Amino acid sequence: MSTDRTRPAGRRDQSGPGPRSAPNGPRSTPGGPRSVPPQRSRRLQPHRPLRPHQWFAERLLAVLSGQRPVHWMLGHTIGEAYDQLAELAPSTPLRATHGSRPVLRHCRGAQPATGVVEAFASIAAGDRVRAMAFRLEQGADQRWRCAAVELGGERLTADASGCR
């Protein structure tokens, strides 16, 4: 065990703690040799919850890339949107290419009417980038649900797949 009380046991370097000030104050004098410039850290920034369109973009990406099963969207879709996803998910249109997992690059939304959000997102997987657009509608219970999805110019509907 180390007999030096300024260093933890097993520490071999010769630097010790900087000069101490008040219990809650800084450990070194401003501009002093041990002064560290302030850094921005994600851990120190307050957590900002995802907006509905960002949350849905992540969920749609997970289903259409095969990372999650379609039933994960059950209760988060209205109309034929769930059936459309159930038809498309097995083909995993946003699957990983060349070993790189698809990620959400950008997601933006617009509110053309109260209780409606139309959003678009870009999805990157390796050197490939795809576009995804979707519509969210807010129900009487104040929950957002996906009502329509389009992917890279292909409309993901029952009409486009030949079913009615």
Side-chain angles (χ1 to χ4, degrees):
M1 184 162 154
S2 176
T3 58
D4 186 351
R5 294 180 187 237
T6 61
R7 284 191 297 247
R11 186 168 168 181
R12 299 188 186 279
D13 65 346
Q14 297 300 314
S15 64
R20 296 197 184 261
S21 60
N24 293 329
R27 293 187 66 180
S28 63
T29 58
R34 292 184 52 90
S35 177
V36 177
Q39 297 177 358
R40 290 186 181 178
S41 171
R42 286 188 161 205
R43 291 182 297 151
L44 299 178
Q45 294 175 354
H47 177 60
R48 203 170 40 181
L50 291 177
R51 293 183 174 151
H53 61 276
Q54 294 167 323
W55 186 82
F56 270 93
E58 291 284 353
R59 289 183 84 88
L60 289 169
L61 172 61
V63 169
L64 294 174
S65 65
Q67 297 171 32
R68 291 287 187 159
V70 178
H71 70 265
W72 198 48
M73 291 295 292
L74 195 60
H76 298 291
T77 56
I78 56 174
E80 295 180 8
Y82 180 79
D83 295 333
Q84 296 163 3
L85 287 172
E87 280 185 37
L88 290 163
S91 67
T92 58
L94 295 177
R95 68 185 167 275
T97 58
H98 305 293
S100 59
R101 184 175 158 187
V103 294
L104 185 65
R105 285 181 23 161
H106 301 287
C107 184
R108 303 282 187 267
Q111 195 167 6
T114 303
V116 175
V117 172
E118 292 181 349
F120 64 92
S122 64
I123 314 304
D127 58 353
R128 193 172 119 191
V129 178
R130 300 280 306 262
M132 178 173 64
F134 54 96
R135 179 183 175 97
L136 303 177
E137 295 178 4
Q138 192 173 31
D141 60 356
Q142 300 302 306
R143 291 182 54 201
W144 292 96
R145 291 180 179 86
C146 185
V149 179
E150 290 187 23
L151 184 62
E154 298 176 51
R155 187 176 178 130
L156 304 182
T157 64
D159 297 327
S161 63
C163 299
R164 258 202 185 252

